[in-house]
Amino acid sequence: MRISSKLSLRFVLLFAVFTIIAFFLFSYLVREKSEYDYIYFLSTLNNTISSTLVENDSLKKNYNEILNKIHSQFSNKPIIRITLISCSGKVIFESDTFAHKMDNHKTRPEIMKALNGEVGTSIRQSKTLKKDFLFVASPVKNSDKTQVIGIIRTSVLVKDFDSQTAKFAITIIFFLVIFLLFGFLILDRFSKRITVPICEIENATKEFASGNLDVTVKAEGKDEIASLANNFNIMIDNFKKLLSELKYLEQVKRDFIVNVSHELKTPLTAIKGFIETLEDELIEDEIIEEKELKNYLKYIDITKRHTHRLISIVQDLLMLSETETVSSSLMKSKTDVKMLLEKMLPIFSQKLEEKQLKLITEFTPDFPEISVDAFKFEQIFVNLIDNAIKYSDKGEIKIAAKADNEYAYFTVTDSGIGIKPEDQTRIFERFYTANKSRSRQTGGTGLGLSIVKHIVLLHKGEITVESKLGTGTVFLIKLPIV
């Protein structure tokens, strides 16, 4: 979910909670205020009616005329109900029904309080009209205020002042909706100030991850997001500088390796030639005793092996340098891989025979010709088979191949000592050897698998390894057919 959506959702949830709380709180407060106002109004009206009745001495006569006149003044909603009750609880006058049909009211809670000289209030259902009323009862006292001579009670339907509460609630909802709309406008403007720069940074990081190093982000303002954008731009600049330095150092290293390799190649070749000549002359020399000859040949053999190893290192360095730097040097052509390998495999016959290993090839019958650089492709299998022979003491080495419509799949499987899991991620690094003692014994340079990987990458392929200690190793190669 995007940040803007999260902000909007949280705003809506927060506003919904606030609206619900505000609605119930204001509704409660308005109802309480409305109830208080009606009680005050009815209490004041009671006092007015009481004073009028006492002044006109109408409690015993003419009260109907006076009370009906007062009641007529409240014909509009909310309708006021007026009741006159004697101290015995008998209803003397009732504005909304027949007084003689009404029960004795002495036990009504508001009446009981009024009989004690206080203002009594009650919200309950009228037993006569079967409706909820707010009742306010006040004592009617004689002219000198010393004795309660009757009770005047006014009331109003609860639904009348509840309707006012409802109207106010609707007003609250209306203003809350207006507030919500304004809130959304403010939130939209605010969220864009946050999300638009963040989206720009997100897109820039995607571009950067895909290899575009020329990407930048606009930094506006002085807030944290602008600081983030500035830091991103600085990071890109620093990375480009670092990358440029690394490329320069890598080129210097390559040039050094190539130059040193070329400088070593000629004298090493000369040394090898002189060693072989010296060996031939010593063998033909009849003056040297046999014991001395064996010692001399032993030393020459050691020198020859180490010279051969140095020459192999130089050749591998030159090959690696070429595969790392010159991708355009691939000379691709449609190649019959099976025939290519059959011509190449005899060079391992002596080594296989010495270690009593079998070399098996297994190609599917419909294996197609594929587009590869034949020389470099051959080098892949030369290095892999050479490695398999070095690290296998028994069993067999198997080369298998199959293909689908897009890719060719090759596996080189041996029954050797295997590779430790922690070494499997590093065996394609230059000069890395998983078994150093074995590598020294067999004359390994630590460059063979690195060369293999780079040749596979030049062909836009993939190479992986699966191995188990004591069981063997499988190298898997995937190459596009075209």
Side-chain angles (χ1 to χ4, degrees):
M1 186 181 289
R2 302 188 70 84
I3 294 176
S4 57
S5 301
K6 288 182 179 180
L7 286 173
S8 299
L9 180 60
R10 289 178 182 178
F11 175 79
V12 169
L13 290 174
L14 183 64
F15 181 79
V17 172
F18 170 77
T19 301
I20 293 170
I21 293 173
F23 176 77
F24 284 106
L25 178 62
F26 279 108
S27 296
Y28 171 77
L29 292 175
V30 169
R31 194 181 189 287
E32 288 291 307
K33 179 66 167 59
S34 180
E35 183 180 329
Y36 173 81
D37 289 343
Y38 267 104
I39 290 172
Y40 179 78
F41 168 72
L42 294 177
S43 179
T44 303
L45 179 60
N46 287 349
N47 291 336
T48 301
I49 294 172
S50 177
S51 299
T52 303
L53 290 172
V54 172
E55 287 174 5
N56 292 281
D57 194 21
S58 300
L59 194 60
K60 296 179 180 179
K61 58 180 181 178
N62 299 326
Y63 55 81
N64 278 317
E65 182 182 350
I66 294 171
L67 293 176
N68 281 324
K69 186 177 180 180
I70 294 172
H71 181 259
S72 64
Q73 296 175 6
F74 301 97
S75 58
N76 296 325
K77 287 187 177 182
I79 298 173
I80 305 298
R81 180 183 171 194
I82 301 174
T83 308
L84 182 62
I85 304 163
S86 68
C87 290
S88 63
K90 181 181 178 181
V91 178
I92 302 172
F93 174 85
E94 168 58 50
S95 62
D96 286 19
T97 187
F98 297 105
H100 66 276
K101 292 183 178 181
M102 297 179 69
D103 297 334
N104 189 287
H105 278 42
K106 192 171 184 179
T107 58
R108 302 291 194 271
E110 69 276 7
I111 303 302
M112 292 172 65
K113 202 166 185 180
L115 288 172
N116 291 325
E118 302 176 18
V119 176
T121 62
S122 176
I123 296 177
R124 58 180 175 79
Q125 188 182 68
S126 169
K127 293 182 178 180
T128 305
L129 300 179
K130 306 300 182 182
K131 295 179 181 178
D132 290 334
F133 279 86
L134 167 63
F135 295 102
V136 177
S138 300
V140 179
K141 295 182 179 181
N142 57 12
S143 56
D144 57 2
K145 309 292 184 185
T146 58
Q147 184 181 359
V148 176
I149 57 176
I151 306 295
I152 187 69
R153 186 185 73 178
T154 53
S155 59
V156 63
L157 283 169
V158 171
K159 69 176 185 180
D160 286 341
F161 70 80
D162 276 350
S163 64
Q164 291 189 359
T165 304
K167 289 178 183 178
F168 186 80
I170 292 170
T171 304
I172 292 174
I173 293 173
F174 172 77
F175 281 107
L176 287 175
V177 169
I178 297 296
F179 174 74
L180 174 64
L181 293 175
F182 276 107
F184 266 120
L185 291 175
I186 295 170
L187 176 67
D188 181 63
R189 185 176 179 83
F190 174 73
S191 64
K192 283 181 178 178
R193 286 182 58 113
I194 297 175
T195 58
V196 171
I198 290 177
C199 287
E200 288 181 1
I201 295 172
E202 180 193 16
N203 292 332
T205 55
K206 288 180 180 177
E207 288 288 319
F208 177 69
S210 65
N212 181 9
L213 301 184
D214 295 323
V215 64
T216 56
V217 180
K218 293 181 181 179
E220 298 179 355
K222 297 181 179 180
D223 54 16
E224 291 83 355
I225 296 176
S227 176
L228 178 63
N230 278 321
N231 291 337
F232 177 82
N233 293 333
I234 293 170
M235 180 189 72
I236 293 293
D237 290 338
N238 291 338
F239 182 82
K240 287 163 72 173
K241 291 176 183 177
L242 179 61
L243 186 63
S244 178
E245 291 175 5
L246 287 173
K247 286 181 177 178
Y248 172 74
L249 292 173
E250 187 69 19
Q251 187 59 46
V252 169
K253 184 184 71 173
R254 286 200 192 101
D255 292 343
F256 174 76
I257 290 173
V258 171
N259 292 333
V260 169
S261 299
H262 279 295
E263 291 297 324
L264 289 174
K265 188 175 181 180
T266 301
L268 285 171
T269 303
I271 292 170
K272 180 184 177 184
F274 283 118
I275 289 172
E276 290 173 350
T277 302
L278 181 59
E279 185 179 27
D280 292 339
E281 289 182 356
L282 284 172
I283 292 171
E284 293 173 0
D285 194 337
E286 299 177 355
I287 301 174
I288 301 175
E289 294 182 3
E290 185 178 348
K291 186 176 179 180
E292 291 182 354
L293 178 61
K294 286 183 179 179
N295 287 331
Y296 291 151
L297 292 176
K298 177 184 174 183
Y299 302 145
I300 287 172
D301 183 61
I302 293 170
T303 307
K304 187 163 63 173
R305 279 193 292 108
H306 284 287
T307 303
H308 178 73
R309 186 165 183 268
L310 284 172
I311 291 172
S312 296
I313 292 174
V314 169
Q315 289 174 340
D316 285 348
L317 282 171
L318 289 172
M319 172 65 76
L320 182 61
S321 178
E322 181 183 358
T323 57
E324 283 183 335
T325 57
V326 192
S327 60
S328 60
S329 65
L330 284 179
M331 302 293 290
K332 282 188 174 185
S333 61
K334 285 283 186 179
T335 304
D336 185 337
V337 175
K338 186 176 182 181
M339 186 178 293
L340 179 69
L341 292 180
E342 286 176 353
K343 291 180 180 179
M344 177 268 292
L345 293 179
I347 66 174
F348 297 104
S349 298
Q350 184 180 348
K351 291 182 178 180
L352 290 167
E353 188 177 343
E354 288 174 357
K355 302 190 79 172
Q356 296 182 345
L357 297 170
K358 290 182 180 180
L359 180 58
I360 302 170
T361 58
E362 188 179 279
F363 282 69
T364 55
D366 57 345
F367 192 83
E369 292 185 344
I370 63 174
S371 181
V372 293
D373 183 318
F375 174 74
K376 288 186 171 63
F377 182 80
E378 182 180 330
Q379 189 65 46
I380 292 174
F381 287 90
V382 167
N383 288 6
L384 290 178
I385 295 170
D386 188 56
N387 257 24
I389 294 172
K390 286 177 182 177
Y391 294 99
S392 298
D393 296 322
K394 60 181 180 178
E396 63 182 29
I397 298 166
K398 181 179 178 181
I399 302 170
K402 62 181 180 178
D404 56 26
N405 294 331
E406 297 182 26
Y407 295 96
Y409 304 90
F410 301 91
T411 59
V412 178
T413 308
D414 65 50
S415 53
I417 61 175
I419 304 170
K420 294 178 182 178
E422 60 267 27
D423 290 323
Q424 292 179 26
T425 57
R426 300 193 59 192
I427 57 172
F428 295 107
E429 295 176 13
R430 285 174 289 187
F431 297 108
Y432 188 82
T433 53
N435 192 319
K436 293 179 174 56
S437 61
R438 185 109 177 190
S439 180
R440 281 194 293 269
Q441 292 173 9
T442 56
T445 64
L447 295 171
L449 291 179
S450 183
I451 292 170
V452 168
K453 179 183 177 181
H454 281 86
I455 294 175
V456 170
L457 293 177
L458 283 177
H459 285 83
K460 301 188 185 306
E462 300 173 8
I463 181 168
T464 56
V465 63
E466 296 175 1
S467 186
K468 188 176 180 181
L469 283 176
T471 302
T473 302
V474 182
F475 285 93
L476 304 97
I477 300 170
K478 175 183 174 183
L479 294 178
I481 291 177
V482 179

